[in-house]
Amino acid sequence: MNKNQLELDIRRFIERGCGSVDEETFKELAMTLFRFQYGNNDFYRRFVDTCATDMMKMKSWTDIPCLPVSAFKHARIACFPPDDTKRVFRT
């Protein structure tokens, strides 16, 4: 799936509201987003690979490795070029 289609699917999901979406639809979107992030974010891919997670065995969004919050303080974690950044949030 390309980036534009993924963005459109996520917007539609948000607009419908999570209460109106079944578990299977959420699972498919979450897994698609995970595969996109894994393929387009070197930092996240390295993290997932160090978790010894077998990508082929991942069947549910609950299998997706969560990046620790502290990682955001140490690296730029994004799936797009730095020049495309619109806002940066700092704490």
Side-chain angles (χ1 to χ4, degrees), residues 2 6 25 28 33-34 38 40 45 67 79 82 88-90:
N2 69 43
L6 181 57
T25 300
E28 287 177 23
L33 178 58
F34 165 71
Y38 181 87
N40 292 280
R45 181 175 39 258
L67 195 60
C79 294
V88 175
F89 297 91
R90 299 186 194 283

Side-chain angles (χ1 to χ4, degrees), residues 43-59:
F43 186 90
Y44 184 61
R45 181 175 39 258
R46 286 192 307 271
F47 170 76
V48 171
D49 290 346
T50 62
C51 292
T53 302
D54 185 346
M55 297 281 291
M56 300 308 291
K57 291 183 181 177
M58 295 179 66
K59 303 294 183 206

Side-chain angles (χ1 to χ4, degrees), residues 6-56:
L6 181 57
E7 286 179 5
L8 181 62
D9 289 350
I10 291 170
R11 285 182 191 272
R12 286 181 182 152
F13 178 85
I14 292 169
E15 288 168 359
R16 281 185 297 203
C18 60
S20 65
V21 178
D22 62 282
E23 178 75 18
E24 188 60 28
T25 300
F26 176 78
K27 180 185 116 178
E28 287 177 23
L29 182 59
M31 294 303 292
T32 299
L33 178 58
F34 165 71
R35 286 189 293 273
F36 178 82
Q37 291 173 330
Y38 181 87
N40 292 280
N41 187 307
D42 292 335
F43 186 90
Y44 184 61
R45 181 175 39 258
R46 286 192 307 271
F47 170 76
V48 171
D49 290 346
T50 62
C51 292
T53 302
D54 185 346
M55 297 281 291
M56 300 308 291

